[in-house]
């Protein structure tokens, strides 16, 4: 194989992944192809569990998607809402996959900024009682303050 024998053009890759005219693509296969789920079987499981809706209807894994359909997928604790722009059968790279749908999903919730509580220098030895109390206070596990007991 010589250099340049493969096609690096994203449009050509997407064209090769497109089904023949008149064919349809299963919804589980499409959400896998455009990288909304990691595996096709995860897509099928999501469909069977009622986590995939097309145009507001719960669908089975074999449901045929078409251009213009709205696909809602609840996955990994968040809802993805996408409009199908291009129907493809084979999994493609992220830049090409992004061209196959319009993402109308709400932004992901911000990650909580967690202070690295209890991180100690390597080789610092076992924490003292004072150090442990400080780490527990930072984690929010501290016992109630002294003197708050009832009579």
């Amino acid at each position: 194989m010589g250099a340049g024998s493969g096609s690096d053009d994203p449009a050509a890759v997407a064209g090769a992944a497109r089904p023949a005219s008149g064919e349809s693509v299963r919804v589980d296969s499409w959400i896998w192809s455009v990288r909304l789920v990691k595996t096709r079987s995860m897509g099928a499981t999501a469909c069977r569990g009622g986590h995939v809706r097309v145009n507001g209807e719960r669908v089975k894994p074999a449901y045929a998607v078409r251009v213009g359909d709205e696909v809602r997928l609840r996955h990994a604790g968040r809802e993805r809402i996408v409009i199908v722009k291009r129907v493809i059968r084979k999994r493609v790279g992220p830049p090409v996959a992004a061209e196959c749908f319009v993402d109308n999903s709400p932004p992901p919730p911000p990650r909580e900024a967690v202070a690295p509580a209890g991180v100690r220098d390597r080789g610092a030895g076992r924490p003292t009682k004072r150090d442990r109390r400080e780490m527990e206070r930072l984690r929010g596990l501290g016992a109630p303050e002294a003197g708050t007991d009832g009579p």
Side-chain angles (χ1 to χ4, degrees), residues 69-137:
D69 284 348
E70 179 191 63
V71 178
R72 290 176 175 255
L73 168 70
R74 276 187 17 243
H75 179 69
R78 97 180 250 230
E79 185 173 33
R80 301 290 307 267
I81 303 168
V82 297
I83 307 294
V84 180
K85 272 177 42 178
R86 184 183 299 159
V87 178
I88 60 172
R89 172 167 288 136
K90 295 180 182 173
R91 191 163 170 101
V92 293
V96 180
E99 297 173 0
C100 296
F101 61 86
V102 179
D103 196 353
N104 292 336
S105 305
R111 292 187 177 182
E112 295 178 11
V114 178
V119 176
R120 293 175 49 82
D121 294 331
R122 187 176 174 96
R126 185 173 175 194
T128 63
K129 191 169 190 175
R130 183 181 203 174
D131 292 338
R132 287 196 307 271
R133 285 182 178 156
E134 185 68 20
M135 286 187 284
E136 287 174 359
R137 187 184 61 77

Side-chain angles (χ1 to χ4, degrees), residues 12-96:
V13 172
R18 183 176 288 160
S21 61
E23 285 189 56
S24 59
V25 175
R26 294 169 54 113
V27 68
D28 62 341
S29 180
W30 186 81
I31 62 176
W32 166 74
S33 298
V34 297
R35 298 178 166 267
L36 294 177
V37 292
K38 287 188 178 186
T39 65
R40 195 193 61 75
S41 62
M42 284 176 76
T45 303
C47 291
R48 284 193 296 271
H51 300 294
V52 178
R53 293 176 179 263
V54 178
N55 299 325
E57 301 283 327
R58 283 185 176 176
V59 294
K60 293 182 179 180
Y63 183 87
V65 292
R66 296 176 185 83
V67 174
D69 284 348
E70 179 191 63
V71 178
R72 290 176 175 255
L73 168 70
R74 276 187 17 243
H75 179 69
R78 97 180 250 230
E79 185 173 33
R80 301 290 307 267
I81 303 168
V82 297
I83 307 294
V84 180
K85 272 177 42 178
R86 184 183 299 159
V87 178
I88 60 172
R89 172 167 288 136
K90 295 180 182 173
R91 191 163 170 101
V92 293
V96 180

